[in-house]
Amino acid sequence: MSAMPLTGGETAVRALALHGTVRAFGIPGTHNLEIYRHLAAYGIDHVTPRHEQGAGYAADGYARVTGRPGVAITTTGPALLNIAAAVGQAYSDSVPLLVVSPGMPLRHPRQATGLLHEMRSQTEALRGVAAFSHRVSSVDEIGTAVARAFTLFTTERPRPVHIEIPLDLLESAESVAPLRLSPPVRPAAPRSEQLARAGEALRTASRPALVLGGGARGAASELCSLVEELAAPVVTTANGKGIVDESHPLSLGVSLHSPAVQKWLADCDVVLAVGTELAESDLWSEPVPLGGTLVRVDLDPAQMYAGIPAHIPLVGDAREIVSALLGACREGRSGSSAAPSLRLATGGGTAAGAHRAVELRLVRGDESGPHTGAAEGAEAVEDRRGPGLRAADARPVAAGPGAVIDTSGPQAGADVVADRGSGMAGADHEPRDATADHLMGVAAGADHEPEDATVDHRLGVAQHRTGVAAVAELRVARDGETRERDARWLPYLHAIRSVLDADAVITSDSAQCCYYGALPHLPIGPDARYLHPTGFGTLGYALPAAIGAKSAHPDRQVLALSGDGGLQFSIQELATAAQLRLPLPVVVFDNGGYGEIRDEMAARGDTPAAVDLAPVDLPGIARAYGGHGTSATTPEALAAALTRAFATPGPTVITVPEETSR
């Protein structure tokens, strides 16, 4: 095919479209108009936030829920610096984000000349927060740069990249060779002897455990099967939240920060860590000194000696490696009576009203896991089970890993929850008044062992009893550590959970109500998503990330959860949601400022300074932007407001004055 003349702007848009881009987030400016000129012609939709940082967070949220790279377009100078915080967050959370911007002309002198938006080096600024910043030197090189970006997204640890196109190349028409597609490259795979060592370690472990991070999401189905095969308790990081259903009796949910859970991990003889850094931002402490064998699975080889070095490193695709480990563990017990398996039964119906049931069954000889095949993209990890049932289906059940315990009534402190995620759907399931002790008895197999049970089978029963009992004890210990602190949020999280659909998306901010409250205490299943700014810990993430997620999935419930301080970092994005007519509730726990910093100052014995903010009418601001706003002073009022908000076009800010939730 002969070369054809294209401007740099059209070449960039053409290359993006060739790699499957259908939506971009950004703000047009004087220097990027040639890019915007061609978006519609190549079928790329565009969302205009009110700040470039919002564009970055929206593209981040879009990428997390679709599995496709998020694309953001900025102009030069200040616009690019505005998006840098979002790029840093995407780097920390391994999110595929592509930022395209103009740059100073190709032969622009190093000495400043006063050109509009001039800065000494945009590429040097972005290299500090991105995987790479690529300044092209010709129109033809633009296609190469885009292909390079998408190759990283699909074959390495996905992280943000920046492509800079000099101003004169954007407008210049040059003959361009056929555009390049990122090549299909198979990720590295561990050696067979390493896999054999890991499989043997897991198969013979007496106290195994799994730690799952965001990099494990593509192996969700296989991991749940492995958890059940090993009867191993599983704990996740914030980014791994929901990979294994958080109502599963072997799930501890997001609990790495718990001293009790950390002590338990240190005592495990084998720990399998998949797709996680095991970093301070996950543990909220120094690395845990593990006493047993650490098996690490990660696409990034650097993780094998970062944080807690691996005894058995397995570098490669998580799904392929976990599948191999699962096969090795199953082969190890072939020829003997199969160990019992904890199975997660699912009810049918639509996502909006799906009933998920936790069924503890002793199954002999069943090699299949509870999850079926995967769909495309990031949703390939989902199995269409949800975080639970409607409030009408609530009943007492064994407290889940984030089960909302009612501390306000006569049963305060009891393991009694209104759990949407554990209602039994049929006649063959546990009765609606089943108690936690009864479910534990079923799990332990006290009265269910067949008369011809072999020694291997009895050992399997004992192993399951040990795993389930350990999780139950750890949940109690974990919640006891923070019961007084977290009690303020629990009834409201219960209310939020009661109205969420099975496949709801929750975005959160770096706020107390999120990392102390929702992360450990708002349980979800693999069909839902919880998006949190881990590691880099930016403020202002929740609202624009929710816009990005909602633009990708307009038919799914999307909820933003924030504090009053964090929301005001990006509150202008209410205008974006209003213009798009997106039904988008924004729940704001209002503690009058920066509550975490206020508490840290007090803990140091300092007089709190610069942390108390003047009261702001946040619902009124939402109305001024064309949205809606209200306040909820009781959990019941919050549930009712959320129900209305999910059915009302435009954003709805719902403030919860925190003094009413103490």
Side-chain angles (χ1 to χ4, degrees):
M1 182 182 295
S2 60
M4 56 185 298
L6 295 174
T7 66
E10 184 173 4
T11 301
V13 174
R14 184 184 179 96
L16 291 173
L18 188 66
H19 284 86
T21 301
V22 296
R23 175 165 291 116
F25 302 84
I27 299 176
T30 299
H31 288 163
N32 63 12
L33 298 181
E34 182 63 20
I35 296 175
Y36 276 87
R37 177 183 180 185
H38 298 284
L39 291 176
Y42 284 90
I44 298 178
D45 183 38
H46 185 269
V47 174
T48 307
R50 299 310 188 259
H51 190 281
E52 287 86 3
Q53 192 172 120
Y57 294 144
D60 176 303
Y62 176 91
R64 295 196 200 203
V65 299
T66 64
R68 298 190 296 270
V71 175
I73 303 170
T74 77
T75 191
T76 43
L80 189 62
L81 293 183
N82 281 344
I83 206 171
V87 174
Q89 187 60 62
Y91 187 91
S92 176
D93 287 344
S94 302
V95 176
L97 171 65
L98 172 57
V99 177
V100 179
S101 80
M104 293 297 101
L106 195 60
R107 294 177 177 81
H108 187 67
R110 298 293 292 177
Q111 185 173 350
T113 62
L115 195 66
L116 179 66
H117 300 330
E118 182 183 51
M119 56 185 291
R120 286 190 294 173
S121 176
Q122 293 186 160
T123 55
E124 289 300 320
L126 268 291
R127 280 176 185 148
V129 287
F132 66 77
S133 178
H134 186 146
R135 176 177 164 93
V136 303
S137 57
S138 68
V139 172
D140 195 51
E141 190 183 345
I142 294 172
T144 299
V146 173
R148 178 188 177 196
F150 279 83
T151 299
L152 180 147
F153 296 151
T154 56
T155 62
E156 301 179 33
R157 183 178 182 180
R159 277 180 153 165
V161 301
H162 168 234
I163 295 175
E164 177 180 308
I165 307 172
L167 287 171
D168 46 347
L169 295 185
L170 270 181
E171 301 284 348
S172 175
E174 297 181 10
S175 293
V176 178
L179 293 178
R180 302 156 184 83
L181 271 173
S182 58
V185 179
R186 187 178 182 84
R191 297 193 303 271
S192 58
E193 57 266 30
Q194 289 292 88
L195 280 171
R197 285 183 60 205
E200 178 68 14
L202 290 168
R203 187 170 59 247
T204 59
S206 60
R207 298 183 310 281
L210 277 75
V211 181
L212 308 182
R217 193 164 295 279
S221 176
E222 294 79 7
L223 281 163
C224 192
S225 296
L226 184 61
V227 165
E228 293 169 348
E229 177 69 25
L230 299 172
V234 57
V235 61
T236 75
T237 67
N239 286 333
K241 183 175 173 65
I243 289 177
V244 171
D245 195 301
E246 292 185 306
S247 66
H248 194 292
L250 286 168
S251 173
L252 287 162
V254 182
S255 300
L256 278 176
H257 57 279
S258 162
V261 172
Q262 291 183 10
K263 182 179 184 302
W264 160 75
L265 270 179
D267 291 338
C268 290
D269 58 348
V270 178
V271 175
L272 173 63
V274 183
T276 173
E277 295 175 319
L278 293 175
E280 186 271 342
S281 57
D282 299 315
L283 300 163
W284 300 1
S285 67
E286 294 298 316
V288 177
L290 299 179
T293 299
L294 175 61
V295 182
R296 296 191 72 164
V297 177
D298 207 289
L299 196 60
D300 183 1
Q303 293 307 308
M304 297 303 145
Y305 49 83
I308 309 176
H311 297 103
I312 306 178
L314 301 175
V315 177
D317 178 77
R319 187 173 189 180
E320 293 186 6
I321 293 174
V322 173
S323 294
L325 294 176
L326 177 61
C329 291
R330 286 174 171 169
E331 289 172 7
R333 64 178 174 86
S334 62
S336 63
S337 294
S341 187
L342 282 176
R343 303 302 307 282
L344 193 64
T346 60
T350 63
H355 286 210
R356 186 189 64 235
V358 174
E359 182 182 6
L360 306 186
R361 296 183 293 182
L362 292 172
V363 180
R364 298 187 66 213
D366 184 354
E367 295 282 322
S368 63
H371 308 304
T372 57
E376 296 179 357
E379 304 311 293
V381 304
E382 316 290 353
D383 60 17
R384 316 319 295 170
R385 293 178 294 119
L389 308 178
R390 293 282 178 196
D393 296 308
R395 63 176 182 85
V397 295
V404 182
I405 301 174
D406 185 357
T407 59
S408 60
Q411 294 174 312
D415 288 340
V416 178
V417 295
D419 189 341
R420 294 182 60 220
S422 303
M424 299 306 173
D428 295 331
H429 296 84
E430 294 294 331
R432 296 179 66 84
D433 62 350
T435 63
D437 288 342
H438 175 66
L439 290 177
M440 286 292 295
V442 174
D447 299 317
H448 294 269
E449 288 195 51
E451 292 181 1
D452 62 346
T454 64
V455 173
D456 285 343
H457 177 74
R458 292 179 185 278
L459 288 174
V461 171
Q463 187 175 3
H464 278 287
R465 181 186 299 121
T466 300
V468 173
V471 169
E473 292 172 3
L474 284 166
R475 289 173 179 171
V476 172
R478 177 204 62 193
D479 292 343
E481 293 166 352
T482 58
R483 186 180 302 278
E484 182 177 352
R485 181 196 67 195
D486 299 348
R488 74 187 80 170
W489 301 297
L490 297 182
Y492 291 89
L493 294 172
H494 176 164
I496 291 171
R497 188 183 186 202
S498 72
V499 300
L500 290 181
D501 285 346
D503 61 350
V505 177
I506 304 103
T507 66
S508 72
D509 227 320
S510 189
Q512 290 180 314
C513 59
C514 300
Y515 48 75
Y516 293 146
L519 273 173
H521 298 301
L522 183 62
I524 63 172
D527 200 30
R529 288 299 305 273
Y530 190 102
L531 315 184
H532 186 71
T534 310
F536 206 53
T538 52
L539 285 167
Y541 175 85
L543 173 57
I547 292 171
K550 187 67 173 179
S551 73
H553 294 295
D555 295 330
R556 288 172 68 172
Q557 287 182 339
V558 178
L559 163 72
L561 184 62
S562 183
D564 57 303
L567 178 66
Q568 293 181 75
F569 277 63
S570 58
I571 196 168
Q572 69 278 354
E573 302 308 337
L574 290 169
T576 310
Q579 184 173 351
L580 295 173
R581 304 297 291 160
L582 297 174
L584 183 61
V586 182
V587 177
V588 184
F589 284 85
D590 188 345
N591 60 19
Y594 304 121
E596 176 67 28
I597 308 306
R598 181 190 297 130
D599 290 350
E600 289 181 11
M601 288 178 171
R604 288 163 50 91
D606 299 342
T607 300
V611 292
D612 297 319
L613 304 180
V616 176
D617 183 6
L618 297 175
I621 292 176
R623 291 190 290 269
Y625 274 125
H628 317 275
T630 187
S631 182
T633 57
T634 67
E636 295 77 14
L638 177 57
L642 280 170
T643 300
R644 291 191 299 270
F646 281 128
T648 304
T652 301
V653 169
I654 307 168
T655 57
V656 179
E658 201 156 282
E659 62 269 16
T660 69
S661 58
R662 290 182 182 272

